[in-house]
Amino acid sequence: MAAGMPVDKTYLWNIFTKIDKDGNGSISADELQLALSNGAWTPFNPETVRLMIGMFDRDNSGAIEFNEFFALWQYVTDWQKTFRSYDQDNSGTIDRQELKIALTNFGYRLSERMYTLLITKFDRAGGGSINFDDFIQCCIILQILTNSFRCRDQNRNGWITIGYEEFVSMVFSLNVSK
């Protein structure tokens, strides 16, 4: 993802204070979800919001302060640009072929079956494509899984051998769901 243009902090502070409905100086996942748009007139995926809060909540407060919000804003803006660049038909969603192009450009080499599985997993609307927020979630989870796999792929050959308990431990230690 290409870095975006610098954002005026005063402009973002005004947005931050509007999102911070209870005025406590931080934005909760619920407040952030209400403020974000996925381009499909449906609420932003709560799991995507939770993942993003977890990524930017540096003090582990469960919410994001202004400086954390500033970083998250840039992150979402970069994802919007990326999403639009791969939404080749300007449908507002990423279909299977567009997802394949995006993930291939990100360095993933997946089977056709895996692209079908990803579309099925992240297509909340059931239309054969994924919305902006679900695209972010798909990419974040794929990166988390890849990083976890790479830690165990000692030979860097794309194969790991683990026992059942190590597998369960690996899955539960991933920061993808609570």
Side-chain angles (χ1 to χ4, degrees), residues 32-48:
L32 185 61
Q33 181 186 13
L34 292 173
L36 293 172
S37 170
N38 68 1
W41 303 103
T42 57
F44 215 82
N45 186 325
E47 273 304 301
T48 306

Side-chain angles (χ1 to χ4, degrees), residues 12-23 26-28 30-36 69 73:
L12 271 189
W13 176 254
N14 290 332
I15 291 173
F16 180 86
T17 56
K18 285 179 184 142
I19 296 171
D20 181 16
K21 298 285 186 204
D22 59 10
S26 64
I27 296 174
S28 68
D30 289 342
E31 289 171 325
L32 185 61
Q33 181 186 13
L34 292 173
L36 293 172
F69 174 74
W73 179 275

